[in-house]
């Protein structure tokens, strides 16, 4: 059961939809906060402690996508986009934004709450389940190029540019690859571990997420040294050029 004091900011200009989502949030024991625009949401964030932001893609004034990008530049808070778009291109766009996950309207209540819980667990260490026996040998820390990654405490710091940060989804991908370093991980396994049980998620989503992570981690994303592709097998975290600590 997730912490009942968790506060969810719902950025939605449709009053009926905002009320519906607020009811779902309250039903889970969380505290809903609402804003009808990006500008109003910024005011709420300045006054309140918020654990996750649920933001509609189409907002009056500043769009939800731009708002999410600006928010990500300032904080690692969990962000879930809500969009009415449903094409494959729009799904990829959903992961190319600064959001950790996204939900397509109309959505099932159980899907929305499941995705919120998944992002909260990825972005708040205290909510992360205890490691099971299958993950006992996962390294606690990594050194990848300019980055020092503390897997145990879910922190990643770029020594040459401390302003850089990883989104929850990017860090989750790195965690998945780090569980079996130097062994390829399939796209299907990555999708499953990210909680992507819906058929709206496709292999291309993983490729986009890998590209985003490479752009931050690799000194030359076009010639990756750490996150490599294994044709027909998936992706692998190559530690030959990095360091692992138990």
């Amino acid at each position: 059961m997730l912490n009942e004091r968790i506060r969810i900011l719902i950025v939605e200009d449709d009053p009926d939809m905002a009320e519906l989502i607020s009811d779902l949030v309250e039903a889970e024991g969380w505290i809903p906060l609402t804003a009808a625009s990006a500008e109003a949401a910024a005011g709420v964030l300045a006054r309140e402690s918020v654990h996750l932001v649920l933001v509609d893609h189409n907002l009056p004034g500043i769009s939800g996508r731009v708002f999410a990008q600006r928010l990500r530049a300032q904080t690692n808070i969990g962000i879930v986009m809500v969009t009415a778009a449903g094409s494959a291109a729009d799904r990829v766009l959903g992961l190319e934004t600064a959001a950790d996950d996204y939900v397509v309207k109309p959505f099932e209540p159980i899907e929305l709450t499941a995705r919120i819980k998944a992002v909260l667990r990825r972005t708040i260490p205290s909510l992360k389940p205890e490691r099971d026996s299958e993950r006992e040998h996962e390294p606690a820390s990594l050194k990848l190029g300019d980055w020092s990654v503390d897997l145990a405490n879910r922190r990643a710091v770029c020594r040459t540019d401390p302003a850089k940060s990883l989104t929850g989804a990017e860090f989750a991908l790195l965690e998945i690859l780090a569980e079996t370093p130097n062994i390829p991980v399939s796209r299907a396994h990555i999708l499953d571990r990210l909680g992507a049980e819906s058929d709206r998620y496709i292999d291309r989503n993983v490729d986009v997420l890998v590209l985003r992570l490479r752009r931050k981690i690799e000194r030359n994303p076009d010639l990756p040294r750490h996150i490599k592709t294994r044709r027909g097998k998936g992706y692998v975290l190559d530690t030959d050029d990095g360091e692992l600590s138990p």
Side-chain angles (χ1 to χ4, degrees):
M1 192 70 152
L2 296 177
N3 195 320
E4 63 179 3
R5 291 174 295 178
I6 284 174
R7 303 165 76 85
I8 309 290
L9 174 57
I10 303 158
V11 190
E12 171 62 66
D13 63 316
D14 182 335
D16 293 334
M17 179 60 68
E19 183 178 2
L20 170 63
I21 297 175
S22 293
D23 290 343
L24 294 175
V25 167
E26 286 187 326
E28 291 294 329
W30 305 322
I31 300 173
L33 304 170
T34 60
S37 67
E39 293 85 350
V44 174
L45 289 167
R47 300 188 306 269
E48 305 281 355
S49 174
V50 175
H51 298 86
L52 181 141
V53 177
L54 190 72
V55 55
D56 185 39
H57 187 274
N58 296 313
L59 291 173
I62 299 173
S63 73
R65 181 186 179 194
V66 171
F67 172 68
Q69 290 171 333
R70 292 180 180 177
L71 185 59
R72 177 59 69 224
Q74 301 171 359
T75 177
N76 286 328
I77 191 173
I79 302 173
V80 177
M81 294 288 298
V82 180
T83 174
S87 70
D90 288 323
R91 296 169 201 164
V92 173
L93 181 62
L95 284 181
E96 285 181 330
T97 66
D100 297 293
D101 206 342
Y102 76 102
V103 179
V104 175
K105 296 177 182 177
F107 51 78
E108 292 293 332
I110 191 171
E111 178 189 9
L112 177 62
T113 56
R115 296 201 180 282
I116 290 175
K117 289 177 181 178
V119 172
L120 286 172
R121 289 191 178 103
R122 293 202 300 264
T123 55
I124 303 177
S126 62
L127 299 178
K128 189 176 180 181
E130 294 295 325
R131 297 181 176 206
D132 55 35
S133 58
E134 295 180 358
R135 300 177 63 186
E136 287 180 354
H137 301 294
E138 179 185 340
S141 63
L142 297 167
K143 288 185 179 179
L144 303 173
D146 297 328
W147 288 78
S148 295
V149 183
D150 183 348
L151 293 166
N153 295 300
R154 305 195 86 253
R155 286 195 290 264
V157 177
C158 180
R159 296 187 295 276
T160 57
D161 187 356
K164 282 187 177 180
S165 63
L166 301 182
T167 67
E170 290 162 355
F171 199 101
L173 171 62
L174 189 56
E175 284 182 306
I176 293 167
L177 297 176
E179 289 174 7
T180 53
N182 303 310
I183 298 175
V185 182
S186 70
R187 291 177 176 84
H189 179 75
I190 293 172
L191 285 171
D192 181 67
R193 288 296 308 278
L194 289 174
E197 72 283 352
S198 170
D199 61 6
R200 288 185 289 99
Y201 282 78
I202 53 178
D203 287 352
R204 174 63 177 150
N205 295 149
V206 174
D207 298 337
V208 170
L209 193 55
V210 168
L211 178 60
R212 280 173 40 185
L213 185 57
R214 279 177 175 164
R215 285 173 176 169
K216 292 183 179 180
I217 293 289
E218 303 285 357
R219 291 177 179 173
N220 183 353
D222 295 327
L223 295 173
R225 299 177 61 186
H226 305 297
I227 303 170
K228 297 182 178 180
T229 303
R230 291 289 182 263
R231 183 171 295 180
K233 295 183 178 180
Y235 294 102
V236 60
L237 179 65
D238 189 334
T239 60
D240 290 342
D241 294 312
E243 299 177 17
L244 293 168
S245 299

